[in-house]
Structures are given as structure tokens and as C-alpha cells.
Amino acid sequence: MAYSEKVLDHFKHPKNVGTLDKNDSTVGTGLVGAPECGDVMRLQIKVNPDTQKIEDAKFKTFGCGSAIASSSLATEWLKGKSIEEALKIDNMDIVEELALPPVKIHCSVLAEDAIKSAIKDYKTKNALS
Amino acid sequence: MAGIKKVYLDNNATTPCDPRVVEAMLPYFYEHPGNAASRSHPFGWEAEGAVDLARQQIADLIGADEKEIIFTSGATESDNLALKGVYEMYVRKGNHIITATTEHKAILDTCKRLEKQGAEITYLEVNQEGLIDLKLLEAAIKPTTILVSIMWANNETGVIQPIKEIGEICARHGVLFMSDATQAVGKIPVNPRENGVHLMAFTSHKMYGPKGVGALYVSRKDPRVKVTAQMDGGGHERGMRSGTLNVPGIVGFGKAAAIAKAEMADEAIRLSALRDKLESGFMAKLEEVYLNGAKSHRMPHVTNLSFKHVEGEGLMMTFNQNIALSSGSACTSASLEPSYVLVALGLGDDLAHSSLRFSLGRFTTEEDIDYALEAVSEGVNHMRNLSPIWEMYKEGVDLNSIVWETH
């Protein structure tokens, strides 16, 4: 299958690969997917407690090129956003930006789930609703 | 694209056509254009002579009589003709067919269709090495059993089934034995008669011949097997497969068979050494590499390896501009399900998703193997750096203790 240039670029030069301290109260961690399904995405955000803006985002993903590109793109988009803005990221925005084919839409869904899961973790840790 | 190295390690998908084969075929497009069924002029006679020679070359390769070779369009058609043709011919005797879960889709999907027509199919499971259990096979045979269909060698793992033993069981119970030998013929010695195989499907393009031509071996004596034609028309191929013969393709198939007969023993020695070098190279360079399928019962040119904690399709993206091979991960399909063959070996979906199949061939060089070893290892390291489960594994987290959010 042919991948779009953007997918290839994120795949070869993934942005924000890494790990944040999951025990840090300003860090929210989302781990979604399952090895059996061929995709596991871990996405982490670090929120500035004063501004409530996402100042850093990191990911690691087990999966195909589209899954890696989707998570790499998601971390780029997250940086600098407020929690509310981050919650508005829709999987179809990722599909459009990366020109994902229909069989790869689940990769973008997984990225959206990972964002929501990371935010939920952050909120739970900090007793926010 | 000049300057970009390209290494082809997907010979189980298809082999390049040997230049000697191409050369043999060329006169049969223009200089000798006849239809092998034209009995009344020299053009037809030339074509018929060329087909006769090819049929003999193919029969010689598998120790058969040339009248036992039925030409088809390929192994898929041969599989269809064997199963549907036997079922239709012998259904009055019984409706039960035995096969295995790791067969090619051309067998499994044909069986599914026959089930809709009233056939009863038993799908034998395989053990961790990919081999069927002979006791289970024998126990599955009943008075209504008309056919056992077990492949000679598996396309994904290269695992070779105990064909001779299966043939003995079938003979003891008076049941026909069909084998899809697509991946074996031309690579290792294959002789249906000596192994009690009554029908055998194989194809030209897996043995350095052209695509679009294959054969079904149908035993003519002890027992004389008949199959009902699935293609009606001019009554070609002794009434079993109508349709004008693909003369250039058949000539190429014959030439490929003759070359294989002369060269396959040496080729197998050379390729198994290269395959072993590749395999042991990965085991030495990387952690958590697993071999899929029986090490001692497999084709000389194939290895199927799982690189744990990386996903196969993503891994392939790291080098697929330069190296061609296949993955057992089916992330491209909407189903998200990995290779059913690997899952049947009890692999677990995670290892199946992490698998790569390397299939070497006549034109594979040692330089290709060295290059693949480096590039694939680099790819595995790149992907493991990105992999959260590799990180967890390295931290000593028990991955089975995590409640995954399956989707």
C-alpha cells in the first residue's frame, strides 16, 4: 500500500518520541489499544498548572506506519493547547491531515482515544472534572 | 530508480522468471503461433509438439507419466479442480473431506463452497510446529470420507507435512489424497506416486517459470482417479480442463521444470546456508527473535521470524523501499486479524503481528542477505525505540498483567 508523504515523513522522523514521568501529578498518560490488535499507543501530556496549557507531549506506539504517524501528529497538535482545545481534536482531522485511507481510519480513532485517555488521567490525578 | 538497492526476498509470493525460460518461450508468441488443438496443419503440430515436450519435462520432474499432467491457469485453479472435481465425481460414495486449518485459501475457500453444497469438511488443527497429527487424521477418517487434502509445504512458514505417512494412512483406508504442492515442486524432490499422493496442484511461477500456467497431477493407475471438469468447452486435457492451451506459458513451465530438475539439489544447499546465515544473524544481533514453524521439517529457502514487540507492517515500512518480503501482520485488511496460519500454530496474535517471512530464491546473493540482515535489524531497533510495549518489557512489566483496551 502506498502511504502519503506526510505519513512517511512522520514515520521516518517521528516527533516527540519519549516518556514522561507517569507519577508526576502534572502528567497525564493514555495507553490505548492492545498488542493482539496490532496497535498500542501511549500518549502523555504535561500540563502547566498555572496556565492549564499543555506544555509538552510525548508518545510511543507499537503499530503500523499510520498509527505511528497519527500519534506523532497528535503530540505536535497538543503542544500549546488548553485541555478544552485538546478535547476538540477529532480523529477526522487526523485522517484529513495525513490523507489516511479508509482501512487506516482506526489509527486516527486510536490517537483520539489516546488524547482523551491522557486528559482523563490528568484530570483524575488533579481532581478536576 | 538507479542507485537504490533492491533486494527481493519474497520468492514464496512469486519467483522471477529465469532468463533461460523467457528465451525458450519467445518463439511461441510469433514464430510458432499455432493452437495445440489444431490437428490439421503444421502450426498446430508444432504447438502440440512443444506442449508434449513440456508435459514430459514436468512429468519427469515429479516422477509421473506425462498423461497424468493436466494444464491449468495456476495452482488456485488446480486446487479448485481437484476438490470440486473429486467431490462431484465421488459424492455418491461419500461427502466427507479432511483438510487442515493452515492450508492456502484456495483450498479453504473451495472447501467452504463445497460445504454449502452439502459436503462435510473436517479441518485438522496443527501443533506448535505447524504439523498435523497423524493419529488425529486417521481418527477423522470415516466411511463417508472421499478425500484428504493436505499441502506439501506451507507458504508462510515453509513447514513440510509428513506426506508419505499421510499417503500410507489414505491408502490403508481407501481414501484419495490430494496435496497442494505449490511451494514444494521445483525446490525439493516431490514425487506424488512414491508418496501415495493421487492428485497434486502446482504452478509455474513459484519455480522460475511464467505466471498464468499451472498443473494438476491426476493419478492414472492404482488408483485411476477421475475429476469432473469445472470448465466446459472443447474437451482439452482429456476432458478435464477445456480451454485453448497457453502454449508459450506451458513451454516456459516445461523449461523451468527441466532447469529445476537439474539444479534444485545444489540450489537447496546454497539457499539453506544463506537462510541459516540470515536466521542466526538476527538471533545474534537482536533479542526476542522467535522462529515460527518446525525447524527440522521445512523448506530450505524460507524462514518466518517474529521480532517481538514490534508490529510487522510498520517494521516493513522502515526498509520496504529496498527489501521485498511479507509480514504475517494483516494491518492493511479491515479485519485487523493477523495471519491465520501463524495463529493456528498457537503463536498468539501479538507474535503473529510481529512476524516477517523471508523467502529466498535462485537469484538471491550473499550480498543480499548481508544487506537484509543490517537493514532489518536497524528497522527493528528503530521500531522498538518507538514501541511502548518494548519499553515495558525492558522495565520488567508483565505484559499479561495489563488490561488492554481491545478495540
Side-chain angles (χ1 to χ4, degrees):
Chain A
M1 187 176 61
Y3 287 95
S4 69
E5 283 300 317
K6 280 182 180 164
V7 169
L8 285 173
D9 189 49
H10 276 287
F11 179 76
K12 283 182 190 151
H13 312 288
K15 312 292 188 299
N16 310 310
V17 176
T19 308
L20 299 171
D21 178 6
K22 63 178 188 291
N23 298 318
D24 182 337
S25 66
T26 66
V27 169
T29 300
L31 180 69
V32 296
E36 292 73 31
C37 305
D39 294 296
V40 176
M41 221 176 256
R42 189 192 63 200
L43 193 146
Q44 295 182 299
I45 52 170
K46 185 174 172 62
V47 182
N48 183 318
D50 301 328
T51 62
Q52 285 297 304
K53 287 207 165 159
I54 297 168
E55 57 177 27
D56 200 5
K58 296 276 185 208
F59 84 95
K60 279 202 176 187
T61 290
F62 162 90
C64 66
S66 301
I68 287 164
S70 296
S71 27
S72 171
L73 177 67
T75 55
E76 275 201 309
W77 279 356
L78 284 170
K79 283 201 216 177
K81 281 198 164 63
S82 69
I83 299 281
E84 286 66 34
E85 286 164 342
L87 283 169
K88 285 186 193 138
I89 295 175
D90 186 81
N91 81 291
M92 289 314 287
D93 300 337
I94 295 171
V95 170
E96 208 172 301
E97 174 68 18
L98 295 176
L100 296 181
V103 294
K104 294 296 183 185
I105 288 177
H106 69 272
C107 297
S108 68
V109 173
L110 206 58
E112 187 189 319
D113 289 351
I115 294 170
K116 298 215 152 73
S117 172
I119 291 172
K120 192 176 163 209
D121 181 55
Y122 171 77
K123 284 186 169 172
T124 309
K125 269 183 185 172
N126 292 280
L128 302 169
S129 57
Chain B
M1 286 200 274
I4 295 182
K5 176 133 181 99
K6 288 220 171 105
V7 173
Y8 187 73
L9 295 175
D10 206 11
N11 286 277
N12 276 17
T14 191
T15 50
C17 205
D18 191 302
R20 293 169 288 180
V21 167
V22 178
E23 202 185 335
M25 291 170 69
L26 286 175
Y28 292 91
F29 288 96
Y30 182 77
E31 291 158 45
H32 308 297
N35 185 326
S38 296
R39 294 274 157 76
S40 53
H41 53 66
F43 295 92
W45 304 334
E46 277 168 8
E48 191 185 19
V51 167
D52 287 348
L53 171 65
R55 206 186 294 276
Q56 189 62 58
Q57 289 167 319
I58 293 160
D60 284 348
L61 175 64
I62 61 167
D65 186 279
E66 76 274 10
K67 291 196 187 72
E68 295 176 312
I69 305 298
I70 306 298
F71 285 118
T72 66
S73 63
T76 292
E77 187 191 338
S78 299
D79 285 338
N80 271 263
L81 175 58
L83 265 57
K84 292 173 183 170
V86 162
Y87 182 72
E88 217 175 303
M89 183 63 72
Y90 297 92
V91 68
R92 283 176 305 277
K93 241 185 105 194
N95 70 336
H96 182 227
I97 294 173
I98 300 170
T99 187
T101 53
T102 50
E103 292 289 308
H104 192 270
K105 285 284 181 191
I107 295 290
L108 295 176
D109 287 358
T110 303
C111 285
K112 289 220 175 72
R113 183 177 294 271
L114 289 175
E115 274 178 322
K116 285 184 197 147
Q117 294 171 9
E120 184 197 348
I121 315 277
T122 298
Y123 299 92
L124 296 174
E125 296 198 346
V126 297
N127 65 14
Q128 284 187 328
E129 296 202 304
L131 296 164
I132 65 155
D133 183 329
L134 294 167
K135 287 196 191 76
L136 289 181
L137 167 66
E138 188 152 24
I141 295 175
K142 48 189 179 183
T144 53
T145 308
I146 52 172
L147 181 70
V148 169
S149 184
I150 301 290
M151 72 203 319
W152 207 293
N154 186 270
N155 46 310
E156 291 192 34
T157 58
V159 168
I160 299 169
Q161 295 292 350
I163 296 296
K164 199 172 178 66
E165 290 78 1
I166 299 169
E168 282 162 10
I169 291 169
C170 291
R172 203 152 59 230
H173 293 270
V175 173
L176 291 178
F177 180 22
M178 145 76 186
S179 185
D180 175 350
T182 304
Q183 296 289 349
V185 172
K187 316 259 178 64
I188 58 170
V190 167
N191 183 315
R193 180 156 299 281
E194 282 177 2
N195 288 277
V197 171
H198 307 116
L199 299 113
M200 187 175 86
F202 55 111
T203 192
S204 156
H205 79 101
K206 308 276 195 204
M207 48 184 278
Y208 312 98
K211 295 168 182 63
V213 57
L216 180 66
Y217 160 87
V218 183
S219 169
R220 288 252 300 170
K221 56 174 199 266
D222 311 321
R224 184 186 179 94
V225 177
K226 287 195 199 165
V227 294
T228 304
Q230 301 299 306
M231 187 83 80
D232 297 315
H236 307 74
E237 297 301 275
R238 300 181 14 257
M240 284 189 251
R241 201 275 190 178
S242 287
T244 296
L245 291 178
N246 169 4
V247 177
I250 289 167
V251 167
F253 190 5
K255 180 71 181 175
I259 296 171
K261 188 168 192 287
E263 299 181 2
M264 72 180 176
D266 290 341
E267 203 160 270
I269 293 168
R270 186 181 78 87
L271 292 182
S272 67
L274 288 182
R275 187 266 316 268
D276 292 348
K277 180 179 185 182
L278 185 68
E279 211 168 77
S280 54
F282 284 129
M283 303 274 183
K285 282 168 99 70
L286 298 165
E287 297 171 69
E288 296 288 298
V289 180
Y290 298 89
L291 171 67
N292 300 319
K295 192 167 185 171
S296 53
H297 296 86
R298 59 178 173 154
M299 297 294 290
H301 65 287
V302 187
T303 182
N304 189 310
L305 299 169
S306 284
F307 299 90
K308 205 169 181 189
H309 309 309
V310 297
E311 193 273 333
E313 193 199 334
L315 174 57
M316 283 209 296
M317 259 180 86
T318 62
F319 52 73
N320 68 3
Q321 300 300 312
N322 309 90
I323 305 174
L325 38 79
S326 289
S327 169
S329 178
C331 203
T332 41
S333 76
S335 71
L336 300 180
E337 279 175 15
S339 154
Y340 66 91
V341 171
L342 297 180
V343 171
L345 266 60
L347 219 57
D349 286 4
D350 54 340
L351 273 180
H353 275 298
S354 302
S355 72
L356 294 182
R357 176 189 72 185
F358 301 81
S359 49
L360 286 58
R362 184 173 292 164
F363 305 105
T364 305
T365 63
E366 181 149 24
E367 193 194 348
D368 291 344
I369 295 301
D370 292 339
Y371 180 82
L373 192 52
E374 287 304 317
V376 174
S377 299
E378 219 170 273
V380 171
N381 287 329
H382 176 77
M383 296 302 285
R384 281 182 174 168
N385 256 336
L386 288 177
S387 168
I389 39 186
W390 176 251
E391 184 183 297
M392 289 180 217
Y393 163 74
K394 279 286 169 188
E395 285 171 353
V397 175
D398 176 9
L399 293 169
N400 294 320
S401 71
I402 295 172
V403 183
W404 298 102
E405 205 183 295
T406 50
H407 60 107

